[in-house]
Amino acid sequence: MSIALTGATGALGSLVVDALLTRGTPASDIVALVRDADRAKALADLGVGVRVAPYGDVPALARALDGVDRLLLISGPESGERVSLHGSVVTAAQQAGVGFIAYTSAPHADDTVLLVAPDHAATENLIRASGLAYSILRNNWYHENYGAHLKNAEATGKLFSSAGTGRVASASRADYAQAAAIVLAGGDHDGRVYELSGDVAWTFADLASVMGEVLGRPVELVPLDRESHTAALTAAGIDPRFVGFLTQLDADIAEGALAEATADLSRLIGRPTTPLIEGLRQLR
C-alpha cells in the first residue's frame, strides 16, 4: 500500500513520516510530495520516495500521485489561496485514482468563530464532493504554537494575553502526527470526522504557571484588552498583519473556539496526549 503526504518536509509532515516509519510502514511505501527536492534529501536518504509537485500544479500532482492508495493533505499556509491550492490536490487525487484522502482541518471547522476555519470548511466540502473516501482530522492547537510566548516570558517574566478566561485544548504536534499515521495506515476511518485535541483545556493563567515551572522562575500573566494587546505587539515590532491574527485568535479563544477537550486523539493514539509542560520543555 502506497501512502503519500503533502508538506512532507514541514513541521507536521516530517513527524507524520517518522510516525509511519515507527509503526512499521516501509520507507519505500511512503511518497513525500514536496516543492523543493533539496529540502527532502533526508527523506530520500531514508528510502522515502520524493516527488516534486507544488500545490496548484494539478498535472504535476496527478503524476506524483500515480499509484498512491492513501493520501494525507496537510493544509497549506497560504492565506487567501489555501482553498484553491487544496482544491488542486483533491482534483489531482481524483485524476490519479487515489483511494482515500485524509485532511488536517480545524476544530469544528463548519461551526466556529475561529478565524482560520472558513478555508478549512471549504476544503472539507471539496473533499466530500469529490467522491473520494475520506477522513477529516480536525486538529486543535499545538503546544509548539506557544514557543514565541515562552521565549518572551523567559526574557521578560511576563505572558501577555487578551484571551481572558478562554481555554485551549492543545496537544503536541507529534501527537497529531501519530494520529494521522494511524488513519493513513488503514482501518475503519472512512467518512469519519475526528475532533482531535489534548486531554486538558488550559487557561492562560495555567499557561503562565506552567511556563514558570519550565523556566524555573515566576511568570506573570498580564491580561489585556484587545486594543492594549494590539499596542503592545506593535511596540514589540511584530508585523502588523500578524498582530491582527494574534489578537483575533485571542478573541476567538475567549469565545471558546479552542476550548473543547475530546477523547478522539487519545483514543486514536492509544495513550494520553502529551501534557502542556512536556510540550513546552521540548521547546527550550
Side-chain angles (χ1 to χ4, degrees):
M1 181 174 65
S2 178
I3 297 172
L5 63 157
T6 67
T9 59
L12 178 62
S14 59
L15 289 172
V16 174
V17 173
D18 289 345
L20 286 168
L21 293 172
T22 299
R23 289 181 54 80
T25 302
S28 58
D29 288 348
I30 302 172
V31 175
L33 304 183
V34 301
R35 307 184 199 198
D36 182 353
D38 290 340
R39 290 188 59 193
K41 186 178 183 304
L43 294 177
D45 289 345
L46 291 172
V48 171
V50 174
R51 302 178 187 177
V52 177
Y55 290 104
D57 189 337
V58 173
L61 286 163
R63 289 191 298 272
L65 290 171
D66 182 49
V68 166
D69 300 299
R70 299 174 74 82
L71 168 66
L72 175 64
L73 170 54
I74 295 177
S75 57
E78 297 87 350
S79 179
E81 299 181 296
R82 190 180 288 126
V83 178
S84 174
L85 296 177
H86 290 172
S88 67
V89 178
V90 175
T91 298
Q94 291 173 292
Q95 294 179 2
V98 171
F100 172 88
I101 183 170
Y103 172 63
T104 60
S105 189
H108 295 285
D110 54 355
D111 183 25
T112 179
V113 300
L114 188 65
L115 74 166
V116 299
D119 284 355
H120 291 294
T123 301
E124 289 186 11
N125 288 337
L126 289 175
I127 291 171
R128 290 189 181 96
S130 71
L132 297 169
Y134 69 87
S135 285
I136 304 298
L137 309 178
R138 290 177 170 173
N139 292 354
N140 201 302
W141 235 230
Y142 304 143
H143 296 330
E144 290 85 351
N145 290 345
Y146 292 95
H149 295 71
L150 181 64
K151 184 176 181 180
N152 186 65
E154 185 171 22
T156 66
K158 300 179 186 296
L159 171 65
F160 299 91
S161 170
S162 54
T165 57
R167 292 179 177 271
V168 178
S170 64
S172 74
R173 190 175 276 115
D175 291 341
Y176 294 109
Q178 186 176 353
I182 288 167
V183 169
L184 286 172
D188 183 19
H189 304 292
D190 291 8
R192 292 179 180 263
V193 177
Y194 292 105
E195 294 289 347
L196 303 177
S197 76
D199 296 333
V200 176
W202 46 263
T203 66
F204 278 77
D206 297 327
L207 179 60
S209 176
V210 169
M211 285 182 171
E213 290 187 60
V214 171
L215 297 173
R217 57 174 289 189
V219 173
E220 176 191 359
L221 173 63
V222 181
L224 301 170
D225 59 29
R226 185 165 182 169
E227 183 178 357
S228 300
H229 198 187
T230 298
L233 292 170
T234 301
I238 305 298
D239 185 307
R241 293 168 296 179
F242 197 46
V243 168
F245 175 85
L246 290 173
T247 55
Q248 183 59 54
L249 175 61
D250 271 17
D252 293 347
I253 290 171
E255 291 291 318
L258 299 178
E260 184 183 25
T262 77
D264 282 3
L265 181 54
S266 56
R267 273 199 297 260
L268 270 177
I269 63 180
R271 59 169 174 79
T273 60
T274 303
L276 178 62
I277 190 166
E278 290 185 23
L280 294 185
R281 280 177 176 151
Q282 292 170 14
L283 301 179
R284 296 212 61 205

